């Protein structure tokens, strides 16, 4: 960790220096190392150090704490660790602008990205589909094509900045006269002005437009998946690319199936007789009905795996299975004959004993 220099040494003054001496020393050094005047790469850090010293020694409470303890004690107000943000405020106060702040030049900017929500059925998410969606986005004006002028006219060179988009201002401060460059207030940095604005967009060159888009939903998406449609957001500024459209997907539950990644889960209810002696049952899948053989002695919770009957993986990476779980259903209502048959069967079956 770097050790900070003594603040008195930084300003080049004695410890008994008066307020006027502190101020004069700061003004001289700040003028010398101000980045607008000093292009040395080390001037920036030096100016930061000078400011930090002055912030402490010009404040009676902070100065007293520093003289006693060699630092600013808590309760004396403290001082910020001057990064670019702190220096920016100081420059703004003293010189009318920060050397680190760039003027508002019209560089290309990407358009705003948009978000929308789309609900899919279970099958649409599993196998993919095309969906039509409505969006509102910023587009170039259809009348002036983004120029902002009436038809037959063009933007004119700004008379204030003569097309540069910048103006130089001179400001008097405690350090003397300083000049700094800012964005032209008349054209806002564009370098041109519009004398005859387009009646459709009122000179902005942009309009808010409703559009119908077709989204290709890939097979295998799931609830909570976010799909990005590149370039379907708002138009860019100053020749920049358009933004993107993000679709947040939700999937409706299915009345028969559940999903675990690329696998489909299905509970198959069977009765005691089917579980005991076996059966051949037709069951539903996402691809249609298929036959499943229940072997004799099937226990409750037994899982059967139907290969390839699940959901396609995103990007075509394989395919899941359908997992069929046998659920042995105990009858709740028996007629007299059914009850008699169960009672006779019970007499022939061994009693299950506790371990």
């Amino acid at each position: 960790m770097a050790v900070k220099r003594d603040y008195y040494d930084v300003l080049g003054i004695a410890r008994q220096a008066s307020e006027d001496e502190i101020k004069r020393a700061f003004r001289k050094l700040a003028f010398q190392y101000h980045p607008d005047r000093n292009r040395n790469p080390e001037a920036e850090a030096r100016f930061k150090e000078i400011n930090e010293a002055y912030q402490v020694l010009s404040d009676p409470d902070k100065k007293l704490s520093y003289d006693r303890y060699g630092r600013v004690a808590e309760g004396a107000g403290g001082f910020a660790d001057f990064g670019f943000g702190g220096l920016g405020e100081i420059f703004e106060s003293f010189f009318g602008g920060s050397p680190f702040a760039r003027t508002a030049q019209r560089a290309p900017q990407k358009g705003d990205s948009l978000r929308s929500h789309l609900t899919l059925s279970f099958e649409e998410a599993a196998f993919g589909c095309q969906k039509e969606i409505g969006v509102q986005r910023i587009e170039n004006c259809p009348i002036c094509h983004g120029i902002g002028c009436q038809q037959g006219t063009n933007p004119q060179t700004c008379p204030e900045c003569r097309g540069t988009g910048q103006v130089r201002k001179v400001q008097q401060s405690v350090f003397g006269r300083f000049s700094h460059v800012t964005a032209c207030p008349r054209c806002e940095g564009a370098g041109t002005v519009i004398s005859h604005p387009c009646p459709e967009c009122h000179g902005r060159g942009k309009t808010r437009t409703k559009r119908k888009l077709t989204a290709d939903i890939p097979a295998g998406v799931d609830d909570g998946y976010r799909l990005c449609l590149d370039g379907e957001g708002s138009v860019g500024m100053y020749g920049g690319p358009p933004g993107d459209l993000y679709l947040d997907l939700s999937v409706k539950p299915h009345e028969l199936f559940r999903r675990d990644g690329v696998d489909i889960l299905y509970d198959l209810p069977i009765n005691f007789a089917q579980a005991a002696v076996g059966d051949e049952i037709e069951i539903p899948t996402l691809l249609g009905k298929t036959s499943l053989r229940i072997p004799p002695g099937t226990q409750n919770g037994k899982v059967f795996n139907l290969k390839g009957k699940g959901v396609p993986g995103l990007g075509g990476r394989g395919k899941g299975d359908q997992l069929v779980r046998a659920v042995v259903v105990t009858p709740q209502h028996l007629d007299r004959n059914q009850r008699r048959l169960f009672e006779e069967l019970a007499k022939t079956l061994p009693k299950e004993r506790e371990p």
Side-chain angles (χ1 to χ4, degrees), residues 205-241:
K206 305 287 185 290
T207 57
R208 183 176 294 276
T209 307
K210 292 182 178 180
R211 290 290 181 195
K212 291 288 186 181
L213 304 176
T214 299
D216 290 319
I217 309 300
V221 297
D222 204 350
D223 193 69
Y225 184 84
R226 172 174 287 184
L227 184 66
C228 178
L229 304 185
D230 295 334
E232 295 294 355
S234 291
V235 69
M237 300 290 288
Y238 320 123

Side-chain angles (χ1 to χ4, degrees), residues 93-94 203 324:
S93 175
F94 290 147
V324 181

Side-chain angles (χ1 to χ4, degrees), residues 194-212:
I194 297 174
S195 302
H196 303 285
C198 169
E200 178 72 16
C201 64
H202 306 290
R204 292 188 294 270
K206 305 287 185 290
T207 57
R208 183 176 294 276
T209 307
K210 292 182 178 180
R211 290 290 181 195
K212 291 288 186 181

Side-chain angles (χ1 to χ4, degrees), residues 108-253:
Q109 299 176 19
K110 184 176 181 178
D112 290 336
S113 291
L114 308 176
R115 289 182 62 182
S116 186
H117 182 267
L118 187 60
T119 300
L120 305 175
S121 70
F122 196 88
E123 289 83 359
E124 286 174 334
F127 301 119
C129 61
Q130 284 191 334
K131 300 289 282 189
E132 188 177 76
I133 54 176
V135 297
Q136 273 197 349
R137 64 187 183 188
I138 303 300
E139 296 185 355
N140 284 327
C141 173
I143 303 300
C144 67
H145 306 290
I147 298 176
C149 299
Q150 284 184 5
Q151 290 185 343
T153 66
N154 291 297
Q156 304 297 312
T157 301
C158 175
E160 183 80 12
C161 65
R162 299 183 180 180
T164 65
Q166 301 174 341
V167 293
R168 184 176 296 275
K169 292 185 178 181
V170 178
Q171 184 170 349
Q172 184 71 34
S173 72
V174 294
F175 304 107
R177 290 169 61 85
F178 283 86
S179 65
H180 61 279
V181 177
T182 63
C184 175
R186 180 164 182 177
C187 67
E188 298 181 347
T192 58
V193 293
I194 297 174
S195 302
H196 303 285
C198 169
E200 178 72 16
C201 64
H202 306 290
R204 292 188 294 270
K206 305 287 185 290
T207 57
R208 183 176 294 276
T209 307
K210 292 182 178 180
R211 290 290 181 195
K212 291 288 186 181
L213 304 176
T214 299
D216 290 319
I217 309 300
V221 297
D222 204 350
D223 193 69
Y225 184 84
R226 172 174 287 184
L227 184 66
C228 178
L229 304 185
D230 295 334
E232 295 294 355
S234 291
V235 69
M237 300 290 288
Y238 320 123
D244 303 320
L245 173 61
Y246 292 95
L247 291 180
D248 293 321
L249 306 181
S250 62
V251 180
K252 296 178 182 177

